[in-house]
Amino acid sequence: MATAYTPGLKVSAHVRHRARRTLPITGEVRVKVGEHVHPQQVVAETFMPGEVTPLNMASLLSIPPA
């Protein structure tokens, strides 16, 4: 596999990242503002009533996924 080098790119184990996320419908936030979270930690959840059925819309419409 090829590797790429970007001049000026710095790799750091300790980087602070902020992202604003919103729930599509009303739900429950499970962490407090300023609390440290881990990548696999659930920070908020919501429950949609009824059965959820995933659909491959690109396949159904015969178009590329992009």
Side-chain angles (χ1 to χ4, degrees):
M1 178 181 231
T3 59
Y5 172 72
T6 304
L9 178 66
K10 294 181 181 178
V11 178
S12 175
H14 304 287
V15 175
R16 186 173 290 193
H17 174 74
R18 291 180 184 219
R20 182 178 180 97
R21 308 264 175 115
T22 58
L23 295 172
I25 59 176
T26 304
E28 177 185 353
V29 178
R30 304 181 88 190
V31 296
K32 293 183 171 71
V33 174
E35 184 176 337
H36 291 275
V37 296
H38 301 283
Q40 299 300 318
Q41 184 177 353
V42 175
V43 295
E45 63 185 355
T46 186
F47 298 100
M48 297 181 74
E51 293 291 321
V52 176
T53 306
L55 298 174
N56 185 343
M57 293 305 295
S59 176
L60 292 172
L61 296 172
S62 299
I63 59 173

